[in-house]
Amino acid sequence: MYADRIRLASLQDKIMSAAQAAELIEDGMTVGMSGFTRAGEAKAVPQALAERALRTPLKISLMTGASLGNDLDKQLTEAGVLARRMPFQVDSTLRKAINAGSVMFIDQHLSDTVEQLRNRQIKAVDLAVIECVAITEEGHLVLSTSVGNSASFAILAEQVIVEINLAQPLELEGLHDIYIPSYRPTRLPIPVLSADTRIGRCAVQIDPAKISAIVISQQADSPSTVLPPDDDTQAIAGHLVDFFKSEVDAGRLTNSLMPLQAGIGTIANAVMHGLLDSPFDNLTMYSEVLQDSTFDLFDAGKLAFASGSSMTLSARKHAQVFSHFERYKSRLVLRPQEISNHPEVIRRLGIIGINTALEFDLYGNVNSTHVGGTRMMNGIGGSGDFARNAHLAIFVTKSIAKGGAISSVVPMVSHVDHTEHDVDILVTEQGLADLRGLAPRERAQAVIDNCVHPQYREALQCYFDQACLRGGHTPHVLQEALQWHINLEETGRMLAC
């Protein structure tokens, strides 16, 4: 059965239903599941686990690469399965449970999770559930549309459940570059010297005796939910293109720029789309998630190579890409997220990191995660991995939200994910603030002049002027620094009048 997918004959007797496999997951276990930004997640087993928990309650600690698709976090939350979740999520039902305190959420840099597992700094993975397109003749795992933390989960777990997903094409085999760093303190340098460097293997090497169950599934990844570019995101892209042109003119970049990283979501995807009409070519990407814009840049002849940890595509783009996958495969690689996001590699390659902010303040501190300073949205993801180590750390956002009730530029952020020391460039549809080489008071004026919506510019200038009268290296009026957030909580608008 499924000889092209399960090539080690001795594993045939491990095939069972998803419900049978889910019985192997016990109350109190720490479970590592595949999946990175709605791509390549195990699907049938977590669904069966949620159904089982509705009859026989149990709780687990769940680790993944990043967010799960197919409403799995929703189903697991509603079934009461999740006691603890890490390192990233995007589900509204789970978000409510996290903010209510019923699910303990650990918001981590995406490069950190398996480092802590490997060094026994957090509880070990008891069992891994990993989606694959095949198992090789040696019993090694050929992953699907994401790598994420799947390789390390499978290596470190005591037992492994493999989902062979027939909806994922066998053409994915050969796409992955599985490299696991050695242990500290004798770790060797990670030899990624360019975006297209391959340093590992195409499959995850494990002892096949650890495979406790094989489940056959046939369920597609969830399509990307990114929206098409609008006037604001096109304006943001335009400001960035003009900035890159000026960097080329100044001799700080070439016309191929440096390897690009773009965070997940509508704004970052739209910004990458803006490069389609730019003068730049022979571009490369060294990123986490390869989105629609990646393949649009390939099709336009702008992009030479893309390295990521997952592919998350719209339904339309997925159909197009996989109907002609041979056009792209030689120019793609998927890596473990601890390699795609590794500070050593990011610093060496000189990445241009473009990530999205919820809000930023006068001095360049960025909040990526918490609404009103307390309510978790999704998580920091990989933005911190890139911001601290990038050649250029760029954060983008629209200047206002909720029809103007919220300014994305505030006197003081309500939660800090990226300090002013890690942020080089801030961009809204209003303009771009280059903070490099500026002292705090200079940064503040650059932000006010270039990034703030006209509706809020006078109020922010007034705040800054008052703060300067009080003095200090980074002037603030502490009694008023968070007043905009208080107004929003009390009245629904940041400005009282």
Side-chain angles (χ1 to χ4, degrees):
M1 295 173 63
Y2 312 107
D4 60 334
R5 301 277 187 155
I6 306 171
R7 301 169 195 156
L8 181 58
S10 61
L11 291 176
Q12 290 284 336
D13 61 0
K14 298 290 181 72
I15 297 175
M16 63 182 71
S17 70
Q20 289 172 315
E23 291 291 336
L24 299 173
I25 301 174
E26 300 175 5
D27 184 50
M29 273 187 167
T30 297
V31 178
M33 287 188 184
S34 63
F36 190 104
T37 319
R38 298 165 61 86
E41 75 276 356
K43 301 170 178 68
V45 172
Q47 289 168 342
L49 179 65
E51 292 171 5
R52 171 189 162 199
L54 292 173
R55 302 187 303 271
T56 308
L58 81 161
K59 287 190 177 293
I60 65 170
S61 295
L62 177 60
M63 300 179 184
T64 59
S67 54
L68 300 177
N70 286 285
D71 289 330
L72 293 178
D73 272 324
K74 178 178 187 291
Q75 294 174 52
L76 292 169
T77 302
E78 290 178 340
V81 172
L82 301 180
R84 187 173 295 270
R85 181 76 169 86
M86 61 193 299
F88 189 81
Q89 57 76 44
V90 298
D91 182 77
S92 60
T93 299
L94 175 55
R95 186 181 303 133
K96 289 177 183 176
I98 290 167
N99 288 320
S102 57
V103 174
M104 295 294 104
F105 179 61
I106 297 89
D107 180 24
Q108 280 191 314
H109 297 302
L110 293 188
S111 66
D112 277 356
T113 306
V114 297
E115 285 280 27
Q116 292 190 351
L117 281 173
R118 187 180 295 118
N119 293 287
R120 302 189 302 279
Q121 294 171 306
I122 55 177
K123 190 176 178 183
V125 174
D126 299 301
L127 183 146
V129 188
I130 309 296
E131 179 178 273
C132 297
V133 298
I135 302 174
T136 70
E137 291 82 355
E138 298 80 21
H140 301 161
L141 309 182
V142 181
L143 303 176
S144 63
T145 46
S146 72
V147 179
N149 286 326
S150 300
S152 289
F153 288 159
I155 290 166
L156 296 172
E158 295 180 8
Q159 54 181 325
V160 180
I161 297 172
V162 177
E163 277 197 26
I164 299 292
N165 189 344
L166 304 181
Q168 301 280 29
L170 271 174
E171 287 84 353
L172 289 167
E173 188 168 3
L175 185 66
H176 312 95
D177 186 47
I178 309 301
Y179 177 88
I180 306 299
S182 53
Y183 281 78
R184 298 165 176 157
T186 57
R187 175 175 296 178
L188 298 174
I190 296 171
V192 174
L193 304 180
S194 62
D196 60 356
T197 303
R198 282 183 169 273
I199 59 174
R201 300 177 182 271
C202 294
V204 182
Q205 291 184 293
I206 64 168
D207 180 353
K210 294 206 311 183
I211 299 176
S212 302
I214 299 173
V215 174
I216 306 300
S217 65
Q218 192 161 2
Q219 188 171 346
D221 287 337
S222 295
S224 166
T225 57
V226 297
L227 300 173
D230 59 23
D231 290 344
D232 286 342
T233 56
Q234 287 177 331
I236 291 170
H239 297 315
L240 264 177
V241 167
D242 288 343
F243 168 73
F244 291 147
K245 289 178 183 177
S246 69
E247 291 293 286
V248 172
D249 291 342
R252 290 188 288 267
L253 290 174
T254 71
N255 218 45
S256 297
L257 304 181
M258 299 284 259
L260 298 163
Q261 176 264 336
I264 190 67
T266 295
I267 296 178
N269 189 63
V271 167
M272 295 301 291
H273 266 290
L275 295 173
L276 289 168
D277 297 322
S278 75
F280 311 115
D281 56 16
N282 199 34
L283 301 169
T284 58
M285 291 188 69
Y286 192 87
S287 193
E288 306 160 296
V289 184
L290 306 182
Q291 303 182 81
D292 285 18
S293 55
T294 303
F295 294 91
D296 291 335
L297 287 166
F298 274 136
D299 293 340
K302 292 283 189 178
L303 186 64
F305 197 89
S307 168
S309 195
S310 76
M311 293 188 295
T312 303
L313 305 175
S314 66
R316 176 191 60 81
K317 184 57 70 173
H318 185 279
Q320 175 203 321
V321 167
F322 282 97
S323 63
H324 302 286
F325 196 56
E326 70 283 354
R327 295 180 186 172
Y328 307 102
K329 186 173 178 179
S330 65
R331 296 182 286 168
L332 293 170
V333 65
L334 295 183
R335 310 180 192 274
Q337 69 195 64
E338 65 172 322
I339 304 300
S340 68
N341 291 40
H342 201 286
E344 172 196 340
V345 179
I346 293 166
R347 182 66 64 92
R348 176 186 299 131
L349 298 187
I351 303 300
I352 296 174
I354 304 170
N355 289 285
T356 304
L358 280 180
E359 63 179 4
F360 58 82
D361 67 23
L362 281 171
Y363 299 109
N365 300 291
V366 173
N367 174 12
S368 296
T369 57
H370 284 75
V371 176
T374 61
R375 296 184 297 282
M376 170 60 67
M377 277 294 290
N378 301 327
I380 194 170
S383 56
D385 295 323
F386 286 92
R388 175 61 63 90
N389 302 288
H391 174 74
L392 286 170
I394 301 169
F395 284 90
V396 298
T397 187
K398 296 184 179 184
S399 66
I400 56 174
K402 302 294 184 184
I406 296 172
S407 173
S408 301
V409 191
V410 294
M412 178 184 284
V413 288
S414 56
H415 175 90
V416 182
D417 291 295
H418 313 284
T419 75
E420 60 189 280
H421 310 291
D422 299 333
V423 179
D424 296 316
I425 309 294
L426 294 170
V427 196
T428 71
E429 81 286 354
Q430 300 297 318
L432 180 148
D434 184 350
L435 307 184
R436 296 174 297 174
L438 301 184
R441 294 182 188 226
E442 295 169 318
R443 287 200 296 268
Q445 199 60 60
V447 167
I448 293 170
D449 292 345
N450 293 286
C451 297
V452 182
H453 192 276
Q455 179 180 333
Y456 287 89
R457 191 171 294 143
E458 182 179 352
L460 201 54
Q461 184 71 61
C462 181
Y463 172 86
F464 178 55
D465 291 343
Q466 290 182 50
C468 288
L469 291 175
R470 297 196 174 199
H473 177 250
T474 305
H476 269 300
V477 182
L478 291 181
Q479 298 91 331
E480 299 178 15
L482 294 175
Q483 188 61 51
W484 291 17
H485 297 90
I486 296 168
N487 291 341
L488 179 63
E489 193 172 88
E490 293 179 347
T491 70
R493 302 191 65 83
M494 279 192 164
L495 291 185
C497 56

